Amino acid sequence: MSNSIDNEYFCDGLTEEIINALAKIKDLAVTSRTSSFHFKNKNITAREVREKLKVATFIEGSVRSSINKMRITVQMIDTVDDFHFWSETFDRKPEDVFEIQDDISLFIAEKLREHVGHLEIEDKLVEPIDVPTDVYREYLKGRYYIMKLDYKNTIKGIKILQNLIKRAPNFSNPYLDINQAYVYMGTMGLLPAFEAYEKAQPYLLKALELDPNSSRSQLNLAWIECWQNWNLKKAYEHANKALDIQQADDIYLTISNFLTVEGKLEAARNYLDKALQLDPYAAINHHYKGFLYYLQEDYTTAIPFLKKALVLDPMLPFPPIYIGICLLMSGKPNEALSYFGSLEGVSVKDLTKLGGETMCYAKLNEMEKCHDGLEELETYLTTTQVDKALTFLILVNALLGNNKKVVELVTQAYDNRLPLILLLNPSPILKPIKNHKSVKEILLKAIPDNLNYKQNKKYKQALLDTNEIEKYSKELEQIMADYKLYLNPDLALKDLASYLELPANYVSQLLNMGFQKNFSELVNSYRITEFKQRILLEENKGLTIMAVAYDSGFNSKTVFNTFFKKIEGMTPNAFIKSTLKN
């Protein structure tokens, strides 16, 4: 509520820190930055917030700042009844910035606990940073520009942070933000991927040296292990560490990316849905949901998600590519050609228009125009746009059935360590050539431990034999231990099938023969075990039995009581009394 832009980026930074602090509290779902900031400076009702963000409670506040004094007002509002639980004013000196962040975060957390139920809250939610206030304010200024997510402002933010590093070389945050900025530009096509990752790496290495255990450090390591080092095992390890530290939409999106690389598209969608729940106004989340439907060849369902992404961020470079390809692959080549031809702005610069039109000419059998397009795309192979040029060249030649040329281009992409290699396996356009010997060898070299690349699974009529049942039973037990799928109350048999990469019929047989249980019995037995562990925890003593049951994955009181008595031979109340006596 001050006129200076300096106070705007300080207010944004304060808000983001409070969001991150509250997101660290287990069992508390907190809407992420993008969706929270979507409502900044907008006149909106509590009902609209509830409907758009699917939240029960929201925090609203403002900052007034002068040279010597800062006044922050905070209030908590129930979205169902539009009821103000409380309102509080904090008067502080501007130099007490870290104390302010922690005080407000703890105050909000305590008030939430009073009104919505038990939460386990640490003594501190925001750790103070050992830098002067003016350095921290300058950092927030650089981050303010980077988070605008366009090329011009991102470069401006990077320069601010690079100058700041000279003043505070041991402050880890600027290094992480510069790394994130370059990786984002490489991923979004604002810079060539190789160049962007190369510029990003020294900043990440320095950040890891200074602060290796933050969620952002772990998330950046996960990206590097996947897209640069092509090591999915390590990528998952770092992403899961990040998720343990903080439940954030970009971490769920990242794990969804990795599952997509493996071809586990249903599992990828489960993680993506969690990202969308936490950040429903993030354009990239809507784009990725559309992209997953595209990979599953559900083109009609994909297009609305891709269009929604462009409404939220018209400069996002990916959705136009897949809107056009979805039209093309759903039997509408002329409509696709018209769509690609109408693109302007960023889509022209990143070869989407040229590449898309050339794909349409291939599908329409207009060979002269297609040949001209291929020749023009090839001129970009020695430029900074080699990534996009190769992608379109591979797709066009696959549509033409030029398998030899596709192999040559895939080899070129592999030799240049281009990230596009990792997304060849699930591409519907490349289905006819995916099992070509040379292509399969390249995919295996890129990710040698990925079974998806090793074989084209053909299931026999007789379903699973004894050895396969033993093998997949162990695999399912490990998946349940690693991912705790049973905590999802909407878990279905098809979800288990997607993780095991087996048809649902096979998984049904596996459960019956490997575990002597049907799907419902198996999943609810895991939930009962989880409940028995949770109900005895000190942190859950203030919760009702059903609150713990719901936290353990149940969504029905009747189902919970029925299965508990069936498995344990007693009611939940009797179990608790019996355990406490012992």
Side-chain angles (χ1 to χ4, degrees):
M1 299 184 72
S2 308
N3 292 324
S4 168
I5 191 172
D6 288 359
N7 289 317
E8 182 178 1
Y9 63 69
F10 175 77
C11 182
D12 285 1
L14 175 67
T15 305
E16 188 172 4
E17 283 300 328
I18 291 171
I19 291 171
N20 291 336
L22 294 173
K24 293 175 184 175
I25 300 174
K26 300 295 183 185
D27 302 320
L28 186 63
V30 182
T31 300
S32 295
R33 181 191 195 279
T34 307
S35 293
S36 295
F37 277 54
H38 182 79
F39 298 101
K40 179 183 170 184
N41 297 328
K42 291 181 181 176
N43 187 15
I44 190 166
T45 66
R47 180 179 178 180
E48 288 175 290
V49 173
R50 182 180 78 248
E51 290 174 350
K52 292 177 183 297
L53 294 183
K54 305 292 188 292
V55 293
T57 309
F58 72 89
I59 309 298
E60 186 178 73
S62 62
V63 178
R64 295 175 189 266
S65 186
S66 61
I67 295 174
N68 300 316
K69 185 179 179 181
M70 182 159 45
R71 168 162 287 186
I72 300 168
T73 61
V74 185
Q75 55 188 340
M76 186 166 82
I77 301 166
D78 177 89
T79 64
V80 177
D81 299 319
D82 197 4
F83 173 72
H84 289 55
F85 284 115
W86 50 261
S87 180
E88 188 73 13
T89 299
F90 298 82
D91 287 322
R92 294 288 193 276
K93 294 178 181 178
E95 59 265 26
D96 298 333
V97 56
F98 305 116
E99 182 184 327
I100 295 166
Q101 292 171 353
D102 194 44
D103 284 353
I104 295 176
S105 300
L106 284 169
F107 185 84
I108 292 170
E110 287 290 354
K111 290 296 183 181
L112 281 169
R113 180 156 61 182
E114 290 173 13
H115 289 279
V116 305
H118 177 71
L119 297 168
E120 194 69 24
I121 303 171
E122 296 178 8
D123 293 336
K124 289 190 79 64
L125 292 176
V126 178
E127 291 296 330
I129 300 170
D130 188 20
V131 296
T133 304
D134 63 322
V135 168
Y136 185 69
R137 279 179 170 269
E138 190 70 5
Y139 160 69
L140 292 179
K141 183 177 181 180
R143 181 164 175 78
Y144 172 84
Y145 287 110
I146 283 174
M147 293 309 294
K148 288 185 176 292
L149 302 179
D150 63 80
Y151 180 81
K152 183 179 177 181
N153 280 301
T154 299
I155 294 299
K156 183 174 182 177
I158 287 173
K159 287 179 179 177
I160 291 170
L161 296 183
Q162 285 172 332
N163 289 330
L164 186 62
I165 284 170
K166 296 172 185 175
R167 293 174 56 195
N170 294 323
F171 183 17
S172 64
N173 286 20
Y175 296 99
L176 274 173
D177 280 287
I178 293 173
N179 169 76
Q180 178 185 340
Y182 278 124
V183 169
Y184 177 83
M185 288 195 291
T187 306
M188 293 294 111
L190 301 176
L191 279 179
F194 180 78
E195 178 190 335
Y197 296 157
E198 191 175 52
K199 287 182 174 180
Q201 190 172 34
Y203 292 100
L204 178 62
L205 292 176
K206 184 62 179 179
L208 291 171
E209 179 188 319
L210 295 169
D211 184 13
N213 296 317
S214 73
S215 63
R216 291 178 63 205
S217 294
Q218 291 299 320
L219 185 59
N220 278 286
L221 280 172
W223 271 91
I224 283 177
E225 289 297 350
C226 177
W227 301 107
Q228 289 178 246
N229 299 342
W230 296 354
N231 188 327
L232 273 179
K233 184 178 179 182
K234 286 188 177 180
Y236 278 120
E237 287 175 5
H238 289 299
N240 285 320
K241 281 182 184 176
L243 202 57
D244 285 341
I245 298 168
Q246 181 178 345
Q247 305 281 308
D249 73 293
D250 53 350
I251 304 174
Y252 283 106
L253 174 63
T254 296
I255 296 175
S256 181
N257 295 160
F258 300 163
L259 289 164
T260 303
V261 169
E262 290 193 278
K264 297 177 180 177
L265 302 183
E266 285 294 338
R269 205 158 73 199
N270 286 339
Y271 275 89
L272 193 275
D273 285 342
K274 184 65 177 176
L276 269 168
Q277 179 190 343
L278 291 174
D279 210 346
Y281 280 84
I284 191 65
N285 290 343
H286 287 274
H287 159 73
Y288 207 77
K289 185 147 189 177
F291 177 64
L292 287 174
Y293 278 118
Y294 154 73
L295 293 179
Q296 292 177 306
E297 301 176 60
D298 188 352
Y299 306 119
T300 304
T301 306
I303 289 174
F305 287 101
L306 298 167
K307 288 183 175 179
K308 174 72 171 177
L310 285 178
V311 169
L312 293 169
D313 182 1
M315 300 302 287
L316 197 62
F318 298 135
I321 300 173
Y322 295 103
I323 291 172
I325 294 179
C326 283
L327 292 170
L328 181 67
M329 298 301 287
S330 57
K332 301 174 182 176
N334 286 306
E335 194 174 332
L337 181 61
S338 175
Y339 175 79
F340 282 122
S342 69
L343 293 177
E344 297 176 356
V346 68
S347 299
V348 176
K349 296 175 188 174
D350 73 0
L351 302 184
T352 297
K353 183 174 183 176
L354 171 62
E357 287 179 334
T358 307
M359 291 178 68
C360 294
Y361 292 137
K363 201 77 169 173
L364 290 164
N365 205 30
E366 295 188 27
M367 298 315 299
E368 187 174 340
K369 290 181 179 178
C370 180
H371 179 72
D372 290 344
L374 285 170
E375 282 194 339
E376 189 174 349
L377 282 167
E378 285 176 354
T379 65
Y380 289 96
L381 291 178
T382 55
T383 72
T384 56
Q385 291 163 294
V386 59
D387 310 59
K388 286 281 170 59
L390 263 176
T391 298
F392 281 117
L393 285 167
I394 289 169
L395 294 176
V396 173
N397 279 285
L399 289 172
L400 293 171
N402 295 339
N403 291 358
K404 185 177 179 182
K405 185 65 176 178
V406 172
V407 171
E408 178 188 318
L409 292 165
V410 170
T411 303
Q412 188 176 341
Y414 174 83
D415 290 341
N416 285 280
R417 302 284 295 183
L418 298 180
L420 69 90
I421 283 289
L422 302 188
L423 290 174
L424 295 182
N425 178 54
S427 170
I429 294 175
L430 296 179
K431 261 188 175 181
I433 197 172
K434 193 169 66 176
N435 291 301
H436 186 287
K437 183 174 181 292
S438 298
V439 173
K440 189 183 287 188
E441 285 175 357
I442 292 170
L443 297 180
L444 258 178
K445 282 194 292 183
I447 305 181
D449 59 343
N450 187 353
L451 292 177
N452 253 349
Y453 297 141
K454 292 185 180 178
Q455 55 187 341
N456 182 23
K457 294 181 180 176
K458 292 184 179 177
Y459 299 101
K460 48 192 182 295
Q461 291 296 109
L463 299 186
L464 302 173
D465 60 31
T466 305
N467 291 333
E468 288 171 324
I469 287 171
E470 182 179 352
K471 170 182 176 288
Y472 285 115
S473 294
K474 289 178 181 176
E475 192 172 327
L476 179 57
E477 287 172 345
Q478 191 63 49
I479 287 169
M480 285 298 211
D482 289 345
Y483 296 102
K484 294 194 173 184
L485 301 180
Y486 50 85
L487 294 181
N488 175 7
D490 300 319
L491 187 70
L493 181 67
K494 64 181 177 59
D495 298 319
L496 292 189
S498 72
Y499 274 83
L500 287 165
E501 298 176 297
L502 290 170
N505 284 341
Y506 284 63
V507 178
S508 180
Q509 180 207 13
L510 172 66
L511 301 185
N512 280 282
M513 296 185 67
F515 296 89
Q516 290 75 53
K517 292 180 173 70
N518 60 32
F519 170 78
S520 182
E521 289 169 337
L522 178 79
V523 173
N524 285 317
S525 68
Y526 275 100
R527 290 169 178 160
I528 294 296
T529 301
E530 183 77 15
F531 170 85
K532 287 162 59 182
Q533 293 169 352
R534 289 184 179 229
I535 197 67
L536 300 177
L537 294 176
E538 187 70 27
E539 65 196 58
N540 288 332
K541 285 193 174 176
L543 297 181
T544 64
I545 286 177
M546 280 313 301
V548 179
Y550 290 137
D551 286 345
S552 303
F554 286 98
N555 60 7
S556 162
K557 184 176 181 179
T558 303
V559 171
F560 168 65
N561 286 326
T562 301
F563 271 95
F564 196 96
K565 194 165 185 181
K566 181 178 178 181
I567 292 171
E568 298 298 326
M570 63 179 81
T571 66
N573 269 319
F575 167 80
I576 294 168
K577 289 177 183 176
S578 168
T579 306
L580 291 176
K581 282 181 183 178
N582 297 332

